[in-house]
């Protein structure tokens, strides 16, 4: 199966969790909006009519099916490509962890857009500073502490045990993203999460991920994505 | 199967989407934190150790399994109790819609807590007003417009067709909640979503839901939940 991924062509954003999974699994895929077709084809699939139009990118075309919502796409891909258990209990548990990561990603977004995504960052800088302070004081320790403990309870290699899953790929991206967006705060915090830092390094060293990160298929972090580096928000 | 639902005992919150599904399906369940055991038992299950500890309530105990994240719980319950398709494609499509509702619920929460959930509303009133204005200008029309169009495209009875699903129950709750939290704004907006208003009424009239809403199992809306009525935010 050759997949079509539909996502904004200039950012990692939520599409990155899907890209990492497709890359690690060695799936053939076209990153449609980046491949000359532009975003027009993407918008067309989002038009409500017959079928299953997604509310927002990213979405994946798999044959005739169109699957939206990041965590739902990973639920679909994971057990087909060896990155999730096949049995229902393990599959839902992994999905639950991914949904918790989705919540964290939303909160990362809100650090620079607390008053709404239709307003520019420059229109909400003071609020963004307050939200970022709260995020690092309350939320980062809670979320990353949870995954750090889970990782330790399951042996310290990957978050559910010895086998890599798409959740590990997502946690790699969280560590990368926080390092990009909040270099000072993250540097000070990393001693609290030695397990996750180790997991990050194990994921980065996997041959398919290593090749992907070195390729031009990996878009660089920038200030249009979820993880944005604004000096004023970094402590 | 008799279920145990774990959620905060004094609010509808995210637990309400699970309660509505359990009630409509006629499932036997105990709302644990409301039944004398207090929240202690809930906290105990969230302790990381062996097993599958949830990050946050709500979560459902089904035999030995503990399932967290609202949409994931509905994914588990839906096809077991006739409120979702059994085949994978329909199941994931419905789940995708529920995940879109989860995103909307998070944005509702952010209208009164844009600077962070650890701060009081009173500490962020000005920001909350701005976020609420943006929410009603940009986000409500986008989200509810999407579901309104889907409903129309699928025949106008329930959002995926003639059969009720857990997504319809959740849309009922969204209409109820917006009416409670933003009575003026919602009243002015309802002419844009006649289909969803009709769907709301059809859900409310279903015997199991009607009985539930009239019972003391339905907690009243209040200013500790997701949908809060603050006059300053209502236009």
């Amino acid at each position: 199966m050759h997949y079509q991924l539909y996502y904004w062509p200039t950012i990692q954003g939520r599409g990155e969790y899907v890209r990492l999974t497709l890359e690690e699994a060695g799936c053939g895929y076209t990153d449609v909006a980046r491949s000359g077709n532009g975003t027009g084809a993407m918008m067309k699939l989002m038009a409500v009519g017959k079928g299953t139009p997604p509310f927002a990118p990213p979405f994946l075309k798999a044959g005739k099916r169109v699957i939206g919502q990041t965590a739902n796409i990973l639920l679909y891909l994971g057990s087909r490509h060896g990155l999730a258990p096949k049995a229902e209990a393990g599959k839902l548990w992994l999905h639950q962890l991914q949904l918790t990561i989705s919540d964290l990603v939303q909160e990362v977004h809100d650090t620079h857009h607390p008053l709404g995504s239709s307003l520019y960052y420059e229109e909400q800088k003071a609020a963004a500073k307050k939200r970022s302070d709260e995020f690092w004081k309350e939320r980062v320790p809670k979320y990353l502490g949870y995954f750090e403990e889970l990782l330790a309870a399951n042996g310290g290699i990957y978050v559910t045990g010895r086998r890599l899953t798409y959740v590990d790929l997502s946690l790699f991206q969280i560590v990368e993203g926080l390092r990009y967006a909040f270099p000072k705060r993250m540097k000070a915090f990393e001693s609290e999460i030695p397990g996750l830092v180790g997991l990050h390094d194990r994921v980065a060293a996997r041959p398919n991920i290593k090749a992907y990160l070195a390729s031009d298929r990996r878009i660089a972090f920038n200030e249009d994505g979820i993880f944005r580096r604004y000096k004023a928000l970094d402590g």
Side-chain angles (χ1 to χ4, degrees), chain A:
Chain A
M1 169 85 76
H2 185 92
Y3 296 108
Q4 278 89 40
L5 171 65
Y6 291 80
Y7 194 62
W8 306 113
T10 57
I11 60 170
Q12 293 183 10
R14 291 181 173 83
E16 198 62 19
Y17 305 92
V18 183
R19 292 190 185 108
L20 286 165
T21 292
L22 291 167
E23 293 281 347
E24 170 60 28
C27 295
Y29 73 101
T30 305
D31 203 336
V32 179
R34 294 192 74 200
S35 61
N37 299 344
T39 50
M42 183 165 92
M43 292 309 180
K44 211 171 149 191
L45 276 171
M46 289 171 65
V48 174
K50 292 281 168 196
T52 55
F55 180 73
F59 49 91
L60 187 78
K61 205 154 178 292
K64 286 185 176 173
R65 291 176 60 180
V66 178
I67 303 158
Q69 283 279 356
T70 308
N72 197 42
I73 299 169
L74 300 182
L75 174 63
Y76 172 84
L77 288 173
S79 46
R80 279 178 171 75
H81 296 288
L83 289 169
K86 283 189 192 298
E88 193 206 21
K91 212 158 117 174
L92 291 187
W93 164 238
L94 201 69
H95 183 53
Q96 177 179 329
L97 295 178
Q98 188 67 39
L99 289 172
T100 302
I101 293 173
S102 296
D103 290 344
L104 169 55
V105 169
Q106 183 55 37
E107 296 196 29
V108 171
H109 173 269
D110 284 359
T111 59
H112 48 77
H113 276 73
L115 303 186
S117 46
S118 72
L119 305 169
Y120 289 107
Y121 164 67
E122 285 70 20
E123 299 175 80
Q124 48 191 313
K125 278 173 86 162
K129 179 70 170 75
K130 282 191 186 160
R131 178 73 184 239
S132 296
D133 288 346
E134 203 264 0
F135 177 69
W136 277 94
K137 184 164 172 255
E138 302 285 340
R139 308 302 288 168
V140 171
K142 184 168 175 181
Y143 278 108
L144 297 195
Y146 172 75
F147 285 107
E148 180 77 13
E149 280 188 65
L150 265 187
L151 179 63
N154 291 313
I157 309 297
Y158 291 121
V159 83
T160 59
R162 298 186 61 84
R163 287 196 64 166
L164 177 87
T165 69
Y166 60 74
V167 165
D168 300 301
L169 302 175
S170 297
L171 288 170
F172 158 82
Q173 176 70 4
I174 295 292
V175 171
E176 279 286 294
L178 291 175
R179 281 178 177 175
Y180 174 78
F182 301 97
K184 271 174 60 188
R185 295 194 197 249
M186 186 62 171
K187 196 175 180 190
F189 185 75
E190 286 198 19
S191 61
E192 306 286 322
I193 51 161
L196 289 176
V197 169
L199 180 150
H200 165 276
D201 297 349
R202 271 186 291 284
V203 168
R206 294 182 71 91
N208 285 3
I209 297 297
K210 201 173 165 184
Y212 168 61
L213 296 176
S215 76
D216 60 6
R217 299 190 302 286
R218 171 81 162 183
I219 301 164
F221 283 107
N222 61 53
E223 281 55 58
D224 295 316
I226 301 283
F227 292 103
R228 303 189 188 187
R229 180 177 290 179
Y230 293 127
K231 212 174 170 186
L233 306 185
D234 190 23

